[in-house]
């Protein structure tokens, strides 16, 4: 089934996603045994030649006190916790500090269209029945064919029909991924097949007389057996803050913004041009989106990350494959939210800019704490080993630096949208 294939794609994509080790874990693994060894050397080797065991053991104890990596071990995770808290206050949920770190270097953003950049609320904006077919007949056939679907496009077709659909008339319904629907419908006591979908579906059934697809929306062709009944044009509305979000990301240095959609490429490009994206690719199935994102991952600049923004179950595989998957949490499917690394609960694309700003501030604070803690400790360690620093200086090098680093880390909790 389609769901089984999507779950398989998610598993495969997850297995190829690199996981960076935590810097502090790597650092402490080397740092701790090194400083303990140096303290032992300081306590034993110099007094063997110079005497004064008490003085050197005192220096070694001071050396051990100042070398304790409390400032790093406490302040670095605390900075990330602060960043995660600041993000959650903005309605942005991240599933780990590593994703917050990844968001700081976001340089390529890939968007799904429907439900992400657009509201996902479709309306039938054009009905174009074939010659000899009434508008009412066209809408009735389309509504019968789409009666079992909960897809936003199907809902808009039934709303345009405006009357309850007699489900007793509809028999077996078969959906072909990326093409459309075929439904068996009783008509005057005889069972007939109604086809609703794109140009590919009509061509497969040998149905001719189609008009060119509309460039401003999704075109649904409707046919009964081999008879072409007409077409419907369904349009989606762009989210209110989509243009603002794209402009803000551009101002923050995001160099490449791409749209991937299952709709026709012409429709995708028209929407992309309207909101200011760089590229748009249409007619993509879930597996095609994963392939395209893998190509974009190869093309991105070294040291930068790629984010994908989506909301539907068909976006779950590519959300897993991207460096950071971003799901719309309000209208997003459970599969998309589960696969994503970041969830925007308010469904506002502009929140991506907030997430990047918070992430960059947090990573900046982390770097400040690392440089400050290591710099002060190295200086005090040298002075202690040479006998220029007392135990009080060692206490400052440990506790004092820890307190200052923690106070600095707490700044990550505060975020004001600029």
């Amino acid at each position: 089934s389609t769901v089984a294939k999507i779950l398989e794609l998610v598993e495969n994509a997850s297995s190829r996603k690199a996981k960076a080790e935590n810097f502090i874990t790597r650092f402490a693994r080397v740092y701790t045994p090194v400083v303990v060894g140096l303290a032992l050397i300081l306590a034993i080797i110099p007094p063997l030649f110079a005497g004064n065991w008490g003085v050197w053991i005192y220096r070694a104890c001071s050396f051990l006190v100042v070398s304790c990596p409390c400032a790093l071990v406490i302040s670095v995770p605390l900075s990330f916790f602060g960043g995660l808290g600041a993000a959650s206050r903005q309605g942005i949920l991240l599933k780990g500090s590593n994703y917050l770190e990844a968001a700081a270097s976001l340089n390529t953003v890939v968007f799904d269209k429907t439900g992400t950049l657009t509201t996902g609320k479709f309306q039938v904006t054009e009905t174009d029945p074939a010659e000899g077919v009434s508008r009412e007949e066209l809408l009735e056939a389309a509504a019968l064919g789409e009666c079992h679907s909960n897809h936003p496009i199907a809902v808009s077709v039934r709303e345009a029909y405006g009357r309850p659909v007699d489900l007793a008339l509809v028999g077996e319904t078969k959906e072909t991924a990326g093409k459309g629907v075929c439904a068996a419908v009783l008509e005057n006591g005889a069972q007939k097949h109604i086809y609703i979908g794109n140009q590919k579906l009509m061509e497969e059934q040998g149905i001719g007389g189609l008009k060119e697809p509309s460039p401003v929306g999704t075109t649904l062709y409707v046919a009964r057996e081999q008879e072409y009944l007409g077409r419907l044009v369904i349009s989606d509305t762009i989210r209110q803050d989509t243009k603002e979000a794209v402009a803000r990301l551009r101002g923050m240095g995001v160099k490449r913004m791409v749209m991937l959609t299952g709709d026709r490429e012409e429709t995708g490009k028209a929407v992309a041009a309207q909101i200011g994206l760089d590229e748009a690719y249409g007619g993509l199935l879930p597996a095609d989106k994963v392939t395209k994102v893998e190509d974009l991952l190869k093309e991105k600049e070294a040291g930068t990350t790629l984010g994908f923004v989506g909301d539907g179950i068909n976006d779950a595989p590519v959300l897993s494959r991207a460096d950071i998957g971003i799901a719309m949490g309000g209208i997003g499917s459970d599969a998309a939210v589960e696969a994503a690394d970041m969830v925007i609960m308010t469904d506002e694309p502009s929140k991506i800019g907030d997430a990047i700003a918070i992430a960059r501030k947090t990573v900046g604070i982390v770097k400040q704490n690392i440089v400050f803690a290591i710099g002060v400790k190295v200086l005090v360690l040298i002075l202690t080993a040479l006998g220029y620093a007392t135990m009080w200086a060692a206490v400052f090098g440990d506790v004092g630096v820890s307190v200052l680093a923690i106070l600095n880390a707490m700044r990550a909790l505060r975020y004001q949208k600029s």
Side-chain angles (χ1 to χ4, degrees):
S1 68
T2 302
V3 173
K5 289 178 182 176
I6 285 173
L7 289 173
E8 183 183 353
L9 284 168
V10 170
E11 289 169 3
N12 292 337
S14 298
S15 66
R16 290 180 297 219
K17 190 172 182 179
K19 294 180 180 179
E21 289 186 55
N22 185 282
F23 168 77
I24 296 303
T25 303
R26 295 200 311 268
F27 179 79
R29 194 177 297 156
V30 177
Y31 174 81
T32 303
V34 167
V35 293
V36 170
L38 289 174
L40 287 172
I41 292 170
L42 192 64
I44 297 170
I45 302 300
L48 289 176
F49 299 97
N52 292 326
W53 284 86
V55 171
W56 289 104
I57 289 174
Y58 177 85
R59 290 186 186 181
C61 290
S62 300
F63 190 93
L64 273 179
V65 170
V66 73
S67 67
C68 181
C70 293
L72 291 173
V73 172
I74 296 172
S75 68
V76 171
L78 188 62
S79 300
F80 281 116
F81 292 155
L84 293 172
S88 66
R89 288 178 181 175
Q90 300 297 318
I92 305 163
L93 304 182
L94 289 114
K95 296 184 179 179
S97 57
N98 53 331
Y99 300 121
L100 188 67
E101 190 176 13
S105 55
L106 206 59
N107 194 43
T108 304
V109 181
V110 184
F111 296 94
D112 172 51
K113 182 176 79 71
T114 306
T116 302
L117 296 174
T118 60
T119 59
K121 295 178 181 177
F122 290 90
Q123 288 183 328
V124 176
T125 54
E126 183 183 337
T127 53
D128 187 11
E131 189 175 346
V133 179
S134 68
R135 179 179 182 274
E136 187 68 22
E137 184 182 358
L138 173 63
L139 285 172
E140 183 181 18
L144 285 168
E146 296 281 17
C147 68
H148 290 305
S149 176
N150 60 0
H151 191 281
I153 288 179
V155 172
S156 71
V157 170
R158 294 197 297 271
E159 287 177 351
Y161 179 53
R163 294 201 300 272
V165 178
D166 188 354
L167 298 179
L169 297 175
V170 184
E172 182 183 0
T173 301
K174 180 183 177 183
E175 182 176 348
T176 305
K179 295 178 183 176
V181 174
C182 171
V185 176
L186 280 175
E187 193 173 299
N188 299 325
Q191 190 179 73
K192 294 187 177 181
H193 289 92
I194 290 178
Y195 300 97
I196 308 166
N198 58 21
Q199 200 165 350
K200 291 179 182 178
L201 180 66
M202 298 296 133
E203 289 171 355
E204 279 186 4
Q205 302 303 320
I207 299 165
L210 309 181
K211 291 188 177 181
E212 283 296 314
S214 170
V216 295
T218 299
T219 301
L220 283 184
Y221 295 103
V222 184
R224 185 193 297 115
E225 296 295 343
Q226 302 304 115
E227 179 192 2
Y228 173 62
L229 298 180
R231 69 172 188 171
L232 304 174
V233 178
I234 292 95
S235 299
D236 195 1
T237 53
I238 295 172
R239 287 187 182 278
Q240 190 173 0
D241 70 335
T242 293
K243 291 183 181 179
E244 175 198 339
V246 171
R248 188 180 180 196
L249 290 174
R250 190 84 64 191
M252 297 179 83
V254 176
K255 292 186 177 178
R256 192 175 186 184
M257 285 179 274
V258 183
M259 178 198 291
L260 304 181
T261 178
D263 291 346
R264 291 172 53 250
E265 190 152 340
E266 292 80 0
T267 304
K269 286 184 175 178
V271 173
Q274 192 175 347
I275 39 184
L277 300 181
D278 301 310
E279 305 164 48
Y281 300 91
L284 301 176
L285 298 176
D288 300 326
K289 289 184 178 182
V290 174
T291 302
K292 190 62 193 174
V293 163
E294 286 179 341
D295 293 338
L296 293 170
L297 284 167
K298 294 173 186 174
E299 296 169 9
K300 70 174 183 175
E301 295 179 14
T304 63
T305 54
L306 177 146
F308 178 83
V309 192
D311 70 294
I313 186 172
N314 59 324
D315 296 323
V318 70
L319 283 166
S320 293
R321 183 66 189 99
D323 292 325
I324 178 166
I326 305 169
M328 295 293 177
I331 64 168
S333 71
D334 291 343
V337 172
E338 180 70 25
D341 309 311
M342 180 195 300
V343 181
I344 298 175
M345 300 307 299
T346 57
D347 291 338
E348 297 173 86
S350 59
K351 293 292 184 181
I352 301 169
D354 291 330
I356 294 174
I358 291 168
R360 288 178 179 174
K361 178 182 178 182
T362 303
V363 170
I365 290 171
V366 167
K367 289 178 179 177
Q368 291 167 14
N369 282 343
I370 290 173
V371 171
F372 172 69
I374 293 177
V376 172
K377 281 183 180 294
V378 169
L379 177 63
V380 178
L381 283 172
I382 294 170
L383 293 175
T384 301
L386 296 175
Y388 294 111
T390 64
M391 182 63 79
W392 289 108
V395 169
F396 169 77
D398 178 32
V399 179
V401 169
S402 296
V403 171
L404 292 174
I406 289 168
L407 291 173
N408 190 40
M410 290 172 66
R411 293 195 301 117
L413 279 166
R414 297 192 300 274
Y415 171 70
Q416 288 185 341
K417 188 171 181 177
S418 56

